[in-house]
Amino acid sequence: MRFEVVAVDPASGLRAGLLHTPHGVVPTPSFMPVGTLGTVKSLTPADVRATGAQVVLANSYHLALQPGVETVQRLGGLHSFMRWDGPILTDSGGFQVFSLDHLRQVGEEGVTFASHLDGAPMFLSPECVVQSQECLGADLIMPLDECLGTAATYAETEAALERTQRWWRRGQAAHQRPDQALFALIQGGLFEDLRREAARAAASHPAPGFAIGGLSVGEPKDVTAALLQATLAELPADRPRYLMGVGHPSDLVTYARLGVDLFDCVLPTRLGRNGTVWCDLDGRRLHLSRRALLGRGGPIVPGCMCMACTNWSVGGLAALYQNRDPLAYRLASMHNLTILGRLAHDLRRTVLYTAEKNSMLRVGKARDW
Amino acid sequence: MRFEVVAVDPASGLRAGLLHTPHGVVPTPSFMPVGTLGTVKSLTPADVRATGAQVVLANSYHLALQPGVETVQRLGGLHSFMRWDGPILTDSGGFQVFSLDHLRQVGEEGVTFASHLDGAPMFLSPECVVQSQECLGADLIMPLDECLGTAATYAETEAALERTQRWWRRGQAAHQRPDQALFALIQGGLFEDLRREAARAAASHPAPGFAIGGLSVGEPKDVTAALLQATLAELPADRPRYLMGVGHPSDLVTYARLGVDLFDCVLPTRLGRNGTVWCDLDGRRLHLSRRALLGRGGPIVPGCMCMACTNWSVGGLAALYQNRDPLAYRLASMHNLTILGRLAHDLRRTVLYTAEKNSMLRVGKARDW
């Protein structure tokens, strides 16, 4: 994996980059749709591509339970299983384990917990999450981290931070496949100095990229922005920054302007499957379940190039959704993903255009768009 | 609407035809996917086309209840509402009314019954079903008929037959749009002489085509074939014959060989949504819910050109289905429809090829394929 920063906006931290992976180049900023079980629900890979997405995310914890890492391997590995020949990122399962508040026990060795499917006892260690992601075969992989809730104290957060750093070194020692980039994972809760410390510690390792977790979990948006700025200030500029779990249109714009390159979130597709579509670039919502929408002509967002907006009226989409036609989930998901894809594209265009005007663009780098 | 018989197989009743409609030409035999509420569930129009389908069917009764005929008109008519610019057939609602065994009262004027949605009292007359189909705007429309169950006596069947004929004349008198073809509808239950009589009566009217109802409703297959042969023997050869509600692969082949041109059925898509796919051209079934399928490589049917078979292994499809991903319903529906589309195509090719060899083909007619 190689990352190039092509241009930086002098007025903000916004940057246009190119992330080179064994499965293709990703222009950044980029939003990564989430395919928990190996598919972005209700979409084909071609549908996902049509939204402008270039990388997809899958959850190694879910895949390990269902259909199992071995089954994925037998079917040709994760790229083959997902029918996606572009870049893939897998997470470590840490977040899932810590969000299931069920019979969980954290020790220095790793985490013991009960499967969310059948309650079977399971154990995750920093080594085994790397090994299982190596078997799956994603391009970008994540280490095990200890996640805490928003109620964690300073002392708890500091202890978790240090453990996450020890786990990161163990994960790195276990990591064998040179074609996979194992990111460093930065926590630090809602404490600015711990965020800075975590970022500095991560930066001191030869990590190919940085994942920032535990933000945008319910705290006020100005707090998120301040913590994110503190984190980013400590990170080297030449490596990609991935803000985990952020996917609201206005958040994507705000945090990309602070210097984030990669985003992921279930929000656009989860909303879509529940019949909620974003009706502007700020993320205002329209609920397709409303009877009053049935007769409304015109697209959800005029000018939107998604499959829903270029083919169906709001009324037609509302009728599909109210008839419980699975096509509605697909179209609404594609629309919401396209809003994010377009925002990421526009942010990139803006910084490239500004840089070109100011002659700050490195020669020949703009050809990718 | 205009129908051409391009070639007839001398060894059977199989025929290749061209059905010219205001929205395009349909090569027959043809299977018509069912889009009850205006969409073939979980599929886009492009998906439907990719299965080889050329006409789709919608149910005027369901559309009248939800979203309502006026809403469909406000959104630009049925073709616009369905995003389908090819030919559409709507049924009259007769079958739905008679299959809801709920508070139904048949009189000479029409049928009074309770809505299946909210129990509201409704009334269908031979005139109003034509008018509502004229407002919707399909290319092929159906008259109101009185359907009876398989337990009906000879006397009941005869009375229903005569009433259907009187209703057909009233429907024809009410019919105003010259761009829509109002088919005659043939009933006659399981009595061969009544089938013949109904067919003769229908043939004596200037009907543009014939719909054959009330067959394949549970009776043995040789009974269906005998009744169908009796019906077809009385029908003029120059007009299309549509066998309602038939859609199993082996039935399509058998009845096309007797001289049927058009078929429709919910079976391929209903099976698909329940995770059942046809694994050969005879219609043997594979249930994607089986755990044992998870690791199986290779397509459902080798050589099948559907989106599922050209992109996913059986194991991948089983994983999708077992994860309840709506994509599984879409792919399985597309696969089953493609099996029928391919069978209809192959039947047509066979008769055209035989006719060409025997120089019975009218010059220039084979160009459509």
Side-chain angles (χ1 to χ4, degrees):
Chain A
M1 196 208 78
R2 193 164 55 84
F3 184 66
E4 289 179 78
V5 178
V6 180
V8 180
D9 180 21
S12 71
L14 179 64
R15 36 203 245 155
L18 290 174
L19 181 69
H20 300 262
T21 80
H23 287 86
V25 181
V26 183
T28 61
S30 182
F31 178 80
M32 306 182 284
V34 180
T36 300
L37 286 156
T39 45
V40 182
K41 281 193 187 70
S42 84
L43 305 190
T44 62
D47 291 341
V48 175
R49 277 204 194 288
T51 69
Q54 313 260 355
V55 200
V56 294
L57 188 142
N59 295 107
S60 65
Y61 164 74
H62 285 96
L63 286 169
L65 288 180
Q66 208 176 329
V69 173
E70 276 175 28
T71 303
V72 172
Q73 277 187 302
R74 199 157 55 238
L75 292 169
L78 191 55
H79 284 86
S80 167
F81 179 70
M82 294 180 70
R83 314 305 307 156
W84 176 264
D85 57 4
I88 302 175
L89 184 152
T90 43
D91 67 0
S92 66
F95 180 75
Q96 278 74 33
V97 170
F98 287 95
S99 58
L100 311 167
D101 215 356
H102 190 50
L103 298 175
R104 171 165 38 81
Q105 254 191 316
V106 190
E108 187 56 28
E109 264 316 290
V111 199
T112 311
F113 61 101
S115 150
H116 77 285
L117 286 186
D118 56 7
M122 297 188 68
F123 176 72
L124 284 190
S125 71
E127 290 82 8
C128 80
V129 301
V130 168
Q131 280 148 8
S132 119
Q133 290 180 89
E134 288 191 342
C135 291
L136 290 170
D139 301 85
L140 312 175
I141 64 177
M142 299 296 132
L144 187 65
D145 60 326
E146 185 174 355
C147 308
L148 298 176
T150 43
T153 64
Y154 188 92
E156 287 166 348
T157 308
E158 193 172 22
L161 181 64
E162 283 160 7
R163 176 170 282 155
T164 296
Q165 286 167 29
R166 290 192 296 274
W167 283 359
W168 150 247
R169 285 192 290 274
R170 282 171 52 192
Q172 222 182 11
H175 181 41
Q176 297 193 320
R177 280 182 59 166
D179 58 332
Q180 294 184 308
L182 176 65
F183 275 38
L185 213 151
I186 299 167
Q187 292 284 355
L190 303 180
F191 304 99
E192 205 171 304
D193 60 332
L194 293 181
R195 285 267 158 199
R196 280 186 191 278
E197 191 191 314
R200 271 195 298 268
S204 70
H205 291 287
F210 304 100
I212 303 163
L215 284 181
S216 204
V217 290
E219 75 281 6
K221 284 193 192 297
D222 55 336
V223 174
T224 316
L227 292 166
L228 185 59
Q229 274 182 299
T231 308
L232 294 173
E234 304 294 335
L235 294 179
D238 62 349
R239 276 166 276 170
R241 297 95 171 250
Y242 157 36
L243 179 57
M244 305 176 103
V246 167
H248 188 276
S250 61
D251 291 347
L252 183 128
V253 173
T254 306
Y255 305 139
R257 287 197 175 127
L258 297 180
V260 173
D261 307 299
L262 298 167
F263 299 86
D264 85 288
C265 195
V266 294
L267 186 69
T269 43
R270 182 172 289 168
L271 285 179
R273 289 198 303 279
N274 289 309
T276 301
V277 289
W278 288 320
C279 58
D280 61 25
L281 294 177
D282 298 325
R284 260 181 284 271
R285 295 174 178 199
L286 200 63
H287 300 283
L288 295 177
S289 54
R290 283 177 48 209
R291 296 281 303 170
L293 291 181
L294 280 180
R296 189 189 287 186
I300 309 166
V301 174
C304 175
M305 286 164 73
C306 82
M307 206 211 286
C309 288
T310 51
N311 287 284
W312 275 268
S313 62
V314 170
L317 291 168
L320 278 175
Y321 182 76
Q322 292 174 30
N323 295 336
R324 296 189 189 77
D325 192 316
L327 177 56
Y329 316 146
R330 179 178 169 218
L331 292 172
S333 296
M334 287 182 78
H335 171 76
N336 289 345
L337 287 177
T338 302
I339 292 286
L340 294 174
R342 175 171 158 180
L343 284 172
H345 173 91
D346 287 354
L347 286 162
R348 184 176 166 81
R349 286 306 307 154
T350 308
V351 59
L352 287 178
Y353 179 73
T354 312
E356 203 170 320
K357 261 186 28 191
N358 299 345
S359 300
M360 287 167 55
L361 190 61
R362 285 193 277 148
V363 176
K365 289 303 179 195
R367 70 182 185 286
D368 299 84
W369 280 84
Chain B
M1 195 209 78
R2 193 164 55 84
F3 185 65
E4 288 179 78
V5 178
V6 179
V8 180
D9 180 20
S12 72
L14 179 64
R15 33 202 248 157
L18 290 172
L19 182 68
H20 300 262
T21 80
H23 288 84
V25 181
V26 183
T28 62
S30 183
F31 178 80
M32 306 183 286
V34 180
T36 300
L37 286 157
T39 45
V40 181
K41 281 194 188 67
S42 84
L43 305 189
T44 62
D47 291 340
V48 175
R49 275 202 197 289
T51 70
Q54 312 260 355
V55 200
V56 295
L57 189 142
N59 294 109
S60 66
Y61 164 74
H62 285 96
L63 286 168
L65 287 179
Q66 206 177 331
V69 173
E70 276 174 27
T71 303
V72 173
Q73 277 188 302
R74 196 156 60 237
L75 292 169
L78 190 55
H79 284 86
S80 168
F81 179 70
M82 295 179 69
R83 315 305 307 156
W84 177 264
D85 57 4
I88 303 175
L89 185 152
T90 43
D91 68 0
S92 66
F95 180 75
Q96 277 74 32
V97 171
F98 287 94
S99 58
L100 312 166
D101 216 357
H102 189 51
L103 297 174
R104 170 167 39 83
Q105 254 192 317
V106 190
E108 189 55 27
E109 264 315 290
V111 199
T112 312
F113 62 101
S115 151
H116 78 284
L117 287 185
D118 56 7
M122 298 188 68
F123 176 71
L124 284 190
S125 71
E127 290 81 8
C128 80
V129 300
V130 167
Q131 281 149 9
S132 117
Q133 289 179 90
E134 288 190 341
C135 291
L136 290 170
D139 302 84
L140 313 175
I141 64 176
M142 298 296 132
L144 187 63
D145 61 327
E146 184 174 356
C147 307
L148 299 177
T150 44
T153 64
Y154 188 93
E156 287 166 348
T157 309
E158 194 172 21
L161 183 65
E162 284 160 7
R163 177 170 280 155
T164 297
Q165 287 168 28
R166 291 192 296 274
W167 283 0
W168 151 247
R169 285 191 289 274
R170 282 169 54 192
Q172 221 182 12
H175 181 42
Q176 297 193 320
R177 278 182 61 166
D179 58 332
Q180 294 184 308
L182 176 64
F183 275 37
L185 213 152
I186 299 169
Q187 291 285 355
L190 302 180
F191 304 100
E192 204 172 305
D193 61 330
L194 293 182
R195 284 270 158 197
R196 282 186 189 276
E197 192 190 313
R200 272 194 298 268
S204 70
H205 291 287
F210 303 99
I212 304 164
L215 284 181
S216 204
V217 290
E219 75 282 6
K221 286 195 191 296
D222 55 337
V223 174
T224 317
L227 292 166
L228 185 59
Q229 274 183 298
T231 308
L232 295 173
E234 304 294 334
L235 295 179
D238 62 348
R239 275 166 278 169
R241 296 96 171 248
Y242 157 35
L243 179 58
M244 306 176 101
V246 167
H248 188 275
S250 62
D251 291 348
L252 182 128
V253 173
T254 306
Y255 304 141
R257 287 198 174 128
L258 298 179
V260 173
D261 307 299
L262 298 167
F263 299 86
D264 85 287
C265 195
V266 295
L267 186 68
T269 42
R270 183 171 290 166
L271 285 179
R273 289 197 304 279
N274 290 309
T276 301
V277 290
W278 287 319
C279 58
D280 61 24
L281 294 177
D282 297 325
R284 260 180 285 270
R285 297 173 178 198
L286 201 63
H287 301 283
L288 295 176
S289 54
R290 283 176 47 208
R291 296 280 302 170
L293 292 182
L294 280 179
R296 189 188 288 187
I300 309 167
V301 174
C304 176
M305 288 164 73
C306 82
M307 206 209 288
C309 288
T310 51
N311 288 284
W312 275 268
S313 63
V314 170
L317 291 168
L320 279 175
Y321 182 76
Q322 292 174 29
N323 294 336
R324 295 190 189 79
D325 192 316
L327 178 56
Y329 316 146
R330 179 180 170 217
L331 292 172
S333 296
M334 286 183 77
H335 171 76
N336 289 344
L337 287 176
T338 301
I339 293 286
L340 294 174
R342 174 170 159 182
L343 284 173
H345 174 91
D346 288 352
L347 286 163
R348 184 177 166 80
R349 289 301 311 150
T350 307
V351 58
L352 287 177
Y353 179 73
T354 313
E356 203 171 318
K357 259 186 29 190
N358 299 346
S359 299
M360 288 167 57
L361 191 62
R362 286 192 278 147
V363 176
K365 289 302 179 196
R367 68 180 186 286
D368 299 83
W369 282 83

